[in-house]
Amino acid sequence: MIISRAMKLIRILMLCLSVQGLSLSAQMYIFPTAYGPSDKYQVIDTARYEITYQINAKLNPNPKYSFVAYEDVQTLLIGKNVSATYSRDILKAREEADEELRKRAQSVEGFYDITFPEDVFKGYPKPGELTSSYRLFLSAGYGQYTEVLPSFKWQILSESKEILGYKCQKAQGEFRGRKYIAWFTSDIPHSDGPWKFCGLPGLILAVEDTDKYFVFTCIDIKNNQSQPIRFWTYPHIKSSREKLRTIIQRMHKQPIVFCEQALGEKIYMGNTNKNRDFSFLWLWLEVE
């Protein structure tokens, strides 16, 4: 059945609080898991390449809590002028749910997996820029900002290896507090990659930070595609990266209070109001 916003939020928060002694839940479903309506978009380019990456991410730097992690699958669509990266499975689930609702279904299946919360559109709204769309908790909406394409200060090294049949060369770089190792192939001459990664003379097929908190590995490459690159037009909170970062930090520091403000409803754990002040660590790619 369709779960009300308040009931869904309580269910999610209870899963988090059930292992509060560990600071984080291994099943931290409070993470952003929803897209807006899948028919609210504008086509901004046509993709020739569809690249799929496996994401392995850790949420707690303490080795004791190494199990606090998640996996996701990310799609990179590369067009003539614009590329887009997004979480594949959550978008698929949203499209399927919208289709069922269009058929007047009385209920739709929910999506509760943890997903990578940020979509990135490189080359949009104009060359040399990117637009980021960040899914906030539950009904809090979507934050969005535009900035110049980042510089990772790449140094190309002599080492090479093969990934999915493509010869790749090693590079090292750094960006906003993290150092990265990347493997790129000149056989696909697009200076692109998952998330915000770019700036090498070829497509990045694998990249990870040196602490291995975030690992992106290409698992599939399709070329000669002809599919639209969609930019979502449902409401976003327009902001700067710095202001959105402040919102995200507050969201993780006081998730119950944050979600109450978003829902306009009080949240209670059964008949108690305890554990309202719990927080969990926000481990993100951009340290700075």
Side-chain angles (χ1 to χ4, degrees):
M1 63 179 178
I2 301 177
I3 305 173
S4 71
R5 293 186 304 164
M7 288 302 296
K8 179 181 177 183
L9 178 57
I10 290 172
R11 173 183 173 185
I12 291 169
L13 290 174
M14 287 297 288
L15 286 167
C16 295
L17 292 169
S18 65
V19 288
Q20 177 58 25
L22 298 180
S23 299
L24 279 171
S25 169
Q27 302 296 322
M28 194 173 56
Y29 295 111
I30 194 171
F31 244 65
T33 58
Y35 275 107
S38 62
D39 60 348
K40 302 296 184 182
Y41 66 87
Q42 66 183 74
V43 176
I44 56 177
D45 206 341
T46 300
R48 291 187 56 230
Y49 284 89
E50 178 181 345
I51 317 297
T52 306
Y53 297 89
Q54 176 77 41
I55 303 175
N56 294 86
K58 296 179 181 179
L59 299 176
N60 195 313
N62 190 331
K64 182 178 180 180
Y65 304 131
S66 60
F67 64 90
V68 183
Y70 71 93
E71 296 181 355
D72 192 21
V73 178
Q74 187 176 76
T75 296
L76 166 63
L77 297 178
I78 302 176
K80 181 179 179 180
N81 301 306
V82 176
S83 70
T85 59
Y86 56 87
S87 179
R88 182 195 68 183
D89 294 341
I90 185 176
L91 177 58
K92 181 179 178 181
R94 180 69 213 219
E95 290 174 332
E96 291 175 349
D98 283 350
E99 180 62 26
E100 290 299 312
L101 291 174
R102 280 192 288 270
K103 295 177 180 178
R104 301 184 182 277
Q106 297 299 310
S107 64
V108 294
E109 185 68 26
F111 184 88
Y112 300 108
D113 289 341
I114 299 173
T115 60
F116 193 81
E118 189 173 19
D119 300 342
V120 176
F121 301 84
K122 301 189 191 85
Y124 188 82
K126 59 184 180 181
E129 294 184 343
L130 67 77
T131 297
S132 170
S133 176
Y134 194 103
R135 296 188 303 282
L136 302 173
F137 288 168
L138 300 176
S139 299
Y142 313 86
Q144 189 177 95
Y145 63 89
T146 297
E147 64 177 356
V148 298
L149 286 175
S151 170
F152 286 84
K153 303 174 184 177
W154 296 114
Q155 292 181 318
I156 298 176
L157 307 177
S158 60
E159 296 177 58
S160 64
K161 69 176 181 180
E162 190 173 286
I163 300 176
L164 296 179
Y166 290 90
K167 182 180 179 180
C168 295
Q169 195 165 352
K170 187 177 183 180
Q172 62 183 19
E174 57 181 285
F175 179 62
R176 290 178 178 161
R178 292 196 189 278
K179 296 181 179 179
Y180 294 97
I181 297 296
W183 296 89
F184 71 95
T185 177
S186 300
D187 294 338
I188 303 178
H190 288 275
S191 181
D192 215 326
W195 187 55
K196 296 181 180 181
F197 296 110
C198 61
L200 285 167
L203 181 67
I204 296 172
L205 297 190
V207 59
E208 63 185 38
D209 66 286
T210 52
D211 293 316
K212 298 185 184 297
Y213 292 144
F214 298 91
V215 179
F216 298 77
T217 306
C218 183
I219 57 175
D220 189 46
I221 299 173
K222 295 178 182 177
N223 58 11
N224 297 319
Q225 300 295 292
S226 181
Q227 60 175 298
I229 296 180
R230 294 174 288 178
F231 182 78
W232 308 112
T233 57
Y234 45 75
H236 284 75
I237 301 169
K238 302 296 178 63
S239 178
S240 66
R241 188 187 75 91
E242 292 74 17
K243 290 181 179 178
L244 181 59
R245 182 180 178 85
T246 299
I247 293 173
I248 295 169
Q249 288 174 326
R250 177 167 57 87
M251 179 175 72
H252 282 257
K253 186 176 182 180
Q254 292 184 303
I256 292 181
V257 174
F258 183 89
C259 291
E260 281 183 336
Q261 293 173 347
L263 291 170
E265 303 174 21
K266 282 290 184 182
I267 299 168
Y268 297 94
M269 303 302 144
N271 59 0
T272 179
N273 206 24
K274 296 180 180 179
N275 294 317
R276 291 178 54 80
D277 296 327
F278 88 97
S279 62
F280 51 83
L281 181 67
W282 178 48
L283 188 61
W284 185 233
L285 282 87
E286 297 180 350
V287 178
E288 301 171 355

